[in-house]
Amino acid sequence: MTQTANRTPAAYDRAPSGAHDATFEQFWQPPPGLRVLSSVSHRVVGKRFLITGFVFFLIAGVLALLVRTQLIVPENTFLDSETYNQIFTMHGTIMMFLFAIPMLEGFGIYLIPMMVGARDLVFPRIGSFGYFCYLFGGIIVLSSFLFDAAPDSGWFMYVPLTTSAHTPGMSADFWLIGITLAEVASVTAAVEIIAAILCSRAPGMSLSQMPILMWYLLVTAFMIALAFPPLIFGTVILEAERLLGLPFFDPEFGGDPVLWQHLFWLFGHPEVYIIFLPAAGMVATMLPVFVGKPLFGYGFAVAAVVSMGFLSFGLWAHHMFATGLPNMSLTLFSAASTMVAIPTGVQIFCFVATLTQGRPRLTVPMHFILGFLFIFVLGGLTGVMLASVPFNLQAHDSYFVVAHLHYVLIGGFVFPMFGALYYWVPHFTGRMMSETLGKWVFWLMFLGFNLAFFMMHLTGMRGMPRRVATYPEGIGWDRLNMLSSIGAYILAAGIALFIVDFFRHRWVGRPAGRNPWGAATLEWLYPPRSPGYNFRAIPIIHSREPLWDQPELSRGDPAGIDGALRAYPDHRRETIGCDPVSGAPIQILRLPHPTWFPLVFALGLTMIFALTLAGLYPWTMAGAVIALIGLTGWIWEPSDSGVIRQTGVAGLALPVNAVDRRSHLYVGTAGALLISFALYASILFAGLYLWNTRPLAVAQTALPEAMPAIAALAGACATPILAWFARRLAGVSRLVGAALLDLGCALAAIGAAFAVGLALAPVDPWATAFGAVGWALGVFVVLNLAVVVYWALFNALRKLAGAVRPGQTLPDLLLASFVNGTALMVAGAAVLFLVLGRMA
Amino acid sequence: MTRLVIWTVCPILLWAVHFGVVFALISATCGPRALMTPEILRATVSLVTVFPALGVLALLVAAARRRGRIVADTALAPEASLAATAYWTATISLLAILLNAVPVAVLSSCSG
Amino acid sequence: MDSALGIFGSQSWLRPAGIGAASAHDLTVAMAIGLGVVFVVVMALIALAWRADTAPRGWWIWSGGVIVPLGAILLILLGSTMALLAMTRAHDDALVIDVTGHQFWWDIVYDPEGAAVRDANELVLPKDRPVTLRLHAEDVIHSFWVPSISGKMDMVPGRTNILTLTATRTGLFRGQCAEFCGVGHPRMAFEVRVLDPGAFDDWLEQTGGEARKAARPDLQDGREVFETAGCAACHEIRGVAEGARMGPDLTRIGARRSLGAGMWRMSQGALAGWIADARAMKPGAQMPGYTQLSGPDLRAVSAYLASLK
């Protein structure tokens, strides 16, 4: 399998192992008391995401009710314009960034290991780290209310309204800094979900046998990795414009306010599908259970999901039809927008076809599924209308769009999510929620929703624009708004009843028993609540519906089911690592035990963000030091990589953490590079956009120095060569030589970084936006080089300190891959400095 | 099975590249630099549409033949759903690629 | 004081009075009916599927997922593109009007290359004559939208966007800023008056040129207050104080039907209230309150402004 596999060492002395007198149950136990904060188990972290996300949902819901109360009558004085603007801004911001995305991540983090047959995620510490970033980011955003500086420029933050000239004070900074911190959780979760689904499936679970939800989440995770970078880049340069006065969006210096809209909607449109797809995946999981037959057209649905994942990146400009794009661009985006109807149609018809296969049971989750079909189909059809340019020019920024987006998001996400909460709630409490109350919840929500939002189509057609704090009497909007507000209260009553039901059922709900819904997927193997390790032994899977087709899984004590890794010779948490395609086991994955390092890292990062917000720039260094300590402590741990252990299945012995391109760490590194490349591409997009639309300002931008750019190119070429040789030497156990090459690699990276800086020296970033984007590109590649320096030094230090044993070349493989990616980006930047400026 | 995964991703990836290229060409034509005339744009877009479309068509045929073989041979049954996926992604991608070219085909200039 | 908003004309895009609005209206009706039928059919299929107990066929997915949607989107694309081309067709003989969005009002110049008649917050259009609006923004992004006459177009700082429109019915219509632009956004409206071509020419003729002379002593006092209290730092009255562009042009303010960008019915009382404390009448208004003006001065200046027709 690998070069290390033949060596079969018994164990490495430095690698930590669990307490040798502990039982399997004991070392999977979450830590007691407050120390539970150090827990990294996906069960704990997933629940944290779900609870925090739901609390944010309630906060944003209350804000929505305030909005509806203000609009219930014309010229209402309940809220003044300033407050109203803050409230609708925070409603949108919280719903999109702090509720929808974290909620779906919570479902993903909680369910993925249980559904694919793993004992935990492959990167549990990243999950915990991401959660704290999300929590602290969310707290920063919310705390703006305390400082009377709540953001008030809309969740879309259009420039120039959000520049310091038009929004003085800190409200926009709270948004930009808090949301960027919370976005860290999104991108880390993306990498984690990709690696968990591809690399930790139960033996035998090939791609075509994954539960359908895994496909939806996999596509979603890739979309997050590609869609969030444009937004992150946008928020960073907007904050740079606010704090440093760089003219990215200032037309007087060759910037363009519309650039922000491109970057924002390059994120914003895929975002809608990022929210919708996992919810549709949950429908595709629950629906077959209540029909009692497998999903019809699994292959079709997967094709639809994969295509939607891609197509959704080609529609961003349909949010910008009124910005003055040429007719040809309008038609291109109009055509691409309508095209999404096809995969969506395929998907919906797979659901309908599944329904015909049997006599469905009308349970509470099924109510929500039917509600989803009704509302989402209607919202999808108004979406097709909005793709028509002349129609869109009327409907854009009117209440018609408000109606459409709530049909798509509430129908496409909130209804399936409530169904999913009813469906999976036994996992959290061990009890079933009430069928009677659940039906009340559904009907209140369904009727309230349709009353509130159907009317808005008509309000929009009567010309009411969005985001108005008040409206005049007598132009035909009064009664419709009154009805919308009443509908909103009814919807809220349904959600309140859900909360009542939730607390009620914890005491009096019927105990769930084993597999209460008769489901087909592995998370129902144990009677809820499953033990924290999910699987005592990891079962071998032959079917897409294992609990239906493999009777041995439903018989007897689930802890007694045959499978892999029953023995635990090292007293460590571990699970099976698989080939990403075939699902054949290839390695034993060591999983971390509880640790504080992710929290320390997240706290350090939060300090950097919060102190920047407070304007205490020198103190951010303290945050950086804490973050580095947290990170280094986290990744220092010597490993057992290369040790061979019996899996307990058919005499198969596998290496621990194999050095292999199919390993979870390699997939994780590739995921991180994907995000990095997406950021790089966002910067290039901004540069090309300004180059194309602002030729005059480009001509006024000074050219980068040629010689240093060539030096940067040379440095960029040197780093991968050094990293490659370091990996070779480490492979033949010449650790000191490898460490020296690592140091050489770090030096070359430092040299390349300085060369990039020198090349940019003549370019004044304050003079033109094009120059500022050039600097952004330089800063970004230098940051990547800084990661290379840190990583190479770290690898060298570990080798010199004896934390690495012969054959443990996984860190070298990962570093070499990351260096390759970075070198490509640096070389690309250097070539652009040499070429693009001179073409102008 | 790996081949089927590649067949699934390739067509839609081709769509993505095609969309990006068409968007860039239109922006270059209709921007202030006016880097090419509508006639050149039309020729270029036809060229960059025909090849990916033919490529996707080939993948579509390959996936369809693979599905046929799977129906005949039960040993390949686990691959059946992935073959269907490859076939359907190719179908959707082909339509989407053709649709990308529509604006250039129906409009004679940037403003119409 | 009564809000004047209700007295304005229609803001609905379902009662079109312009070429663009008519296209959008026809598309709205056609798509609402067509897609409404699709919706009902899908719901009916779900109901049928609920009762059925049979093996599904692959062609169901083909027809429901591919063929029907493809047909629908091709029809919609065709109709939309044709409508778009018709709406945006440039006319060489079109009347050119510059409109500039400010926080939170509209600066309007008719025929900027010729007569260059400046007015504010009220757009007068000739019936059946193509008009090319050149849209600009002074500070942040605004969006020009008169739903009854045409779809909207954004006003972006640093750009000039073109909106071509033709009004087809005389009457009063209401327009409103459609892009969120700050505190005053909900109160950034304007009135559109569509006149017969002859009447429009007369109106333009009458609106150009210098302001009406102050005919009575109290009006002369008012003009003096205007000149001495600092009003002229921001506002222009042609023939009295020229050059300032920060606030709306006041040369014909008395002739406008509304005050405060479509906010209040124009009257001397409203003018006096506005001058004393504009922000109380329109939150977010940039004009400072002139509470220091004495009662007689306030009366005089408001009477003077009301006389400027």
Side-chain angles (χ1 to χ4, degrees), chain A residues 21-206:
Chain A
D21 52 348
T23 63
F24 185 80
E25 284 73 16
Q26 276 169 338
F27 64 75
W28 275 97
Q29 204 79 70
L34 254 189
R35 279 169 51 211
V36 77
L37 286 178
S38 70
S39 173
V40 293
S41 156
H42 79 102
R43 299 278 292 279
V44 176
V45 173
K47 235 182 284 181
R48 283 184 201 153
F49 265 106
L50 290 175
I51 293 169
T52 316
F54 200 83
V55 169
F56 276 118
F57 172 64
L58 296 180
I59 295 172
V62 169
L63 296 177
L65 289 182
L66 293 177
V67 164
R68 281 319 318 167
T69 306
Q70 164 69 10
L71 296 179
I72 193 165
V73 289
E75 299 183 46
N76 198 354
T77 50
F78 174 64
L79 299 172
D80 58 41
S81 289
E82 285 90 345
T83 316
Y84 180 88
N85 292 349
Q86 292 180 338
I87 283 175
F88 89 75
T89 300
M90 291 295 269
H91 166 71
T93 303
I94 294 175
M95 283 294 189
M96 295 303 259
F97 294 105
L98 302 178
F99 157 62
I101 297 274
M103 199 77 184
L104 73 88
E105 284 165 1
F107 272 110
I109 287 171
Y110 193 91
L111 288 176
I112 288 169
M114 303 184 85
M115 291 181 96
V116 300
R119 287 179 180 150
D120 205 334
L121 290 166
V122 297
F123 303 130
R125 287 172 292 195
I126 289 187
S128 166
F129 164 72
Y131 172 74
F132 287 119
C133 288
Y134 156 55
L135 179 68
F136 297 148
I139 289 175
I140 288 179
V141 174
L142 265 194
S143 69
S144 61
F145 275 123
L146 297 179
F147 297 98
D148 195 21
D152 57 0
S153 322
W155 83 282
F156 43 92
M157 295 291 282
Y158 273 13
V159 292
L161 185 59
T162 47
T163 56
S164 28
H166 298 105
T167 304
M170 305 214 342
S171 62
D173 304 309
F174 269 106
W175 192 99
L176 292 165
I177 285 174
I179 291 300
T180 306
L181 184 55
E183 281 159 9
V184 171
S186 307
V187 292
T188 54
V191 173
E192 175 164 55
I193 288 173
I194 293 170
I197 294 176
L198 290 181
C199 301
S200 69
R201 302 197 300 270
M205 189 185 279
S206 66

Side-chain angles (χ1 to χ4, degrees), chain A residues 522-547:
Chain A
L522 277 180
E523 80 271 24
W524 299 102
L525 188 69
Y526 277 85
R529 298 174 278 174
S530 318
Y533 43 81
N534 299 348
F535 304 95
R536 181 61 189 80
I538 295 168
I540 295 146
I541 299 303
H542 319 292
S543 156
R544 200 181 291 149
E545 281 85 25
L547 295 194

Side-chain angles (χ1 to χ4, degrees), chain A residues 557-572:
Chain A
D557 179 10
I561 292 168
D562 266 350
L565 298 184
R566 180 171 293 282
Y568 46 97
D570 298 310
H571 293 77
R572 286 289 311 265

Side-chain angles (χ1 to χ4, degrees), chain C residues 24 31 53 56 59 65 104 106 110 143 149 158 182 199 218 242 254 258 267 282 295:
Chain C
M31 290 195 295
D53 190 355
W59 66 264
F104 301 93
W106 315 82
Y110 297 85
S143 191
I149 295 179
D218 64 319
E242 299 195 359
S258 72
S267 69
K282 177 167 167 171

Side-chain angles (χ1 to χ4, degrees), chain C residues 115-189:
Chain C
V117 175
R118 185 177 291 272
D119 200 8
N121 294 336
E122 184 182 77
L123 185 64
V124 181
L125 297 174
K127 177 172 170 276
D128 292 331
R129 181 171 166 198
V131 175
T132 298
L133 293 177
R134 299 197 306 207
L135 304 175
H136 320 267
E138 175 64 27
D139 32 43
V140 302
I141 300 178
H142 303 277
S143 191
F144 179 94
W145 188 30
V146 192
S148 298
I149 295 179
S150 167
K152 62 183 70 61
M153 182 61 75
D154 289 353
M155 314 169 105
V156 184
R159 292 186 170 217
T160 302
N161 279 339
I162 304 292
L163 178 62
T164 307
L165 51 80
T166 309
T168 52
R169 192 147 59 79
T170 56
L172 286 178
F173 306 95
R174 186 167 188 263
Q176 193 168 357
C177 175
E179 185 61 81
F180 179 69
C181 58
V183 175
H185 172 60
R187 297 178 179 86
M188 183 171 166

Side-chain angles (χ1 to χ4, degrees), chain C residues 225-304:
Chain C
V225 174
F226 178 86
E227 286 168 323
T228 54
C231 308
C234 299
H235 294 283
E236 176 178 69
I237 295 177
R238 287 193 295 277
V240 176
E242 299 195 359
R245 294 269 191 272
M246 293 263 286
D249 186 289
L250 302 180
T251 310
R252 305 281 173 223
I253 183 169
R256 290 182 211 147
R257 292 167 43 87
S258 72
L259 175 64
M263 273 299 297
W264 305 94
R265 193 170 303 184
M266 181 64 73
S267 69
Q268 190 195 333
L271 275 167
W274 182 273
I275 296 165
D277 193 355
R279 279 172 199 166
M281 290 175 71
K282 177 167 167 171
Q286 311 271 319
M287 176 165 154
Y290 278 76
T291 42
Q292 73 275 26
L293 285 183
S294 67
D297 282 357
L298 193 58
R299 257 197 305 282
V301 75
S302 52
Y304 171 63

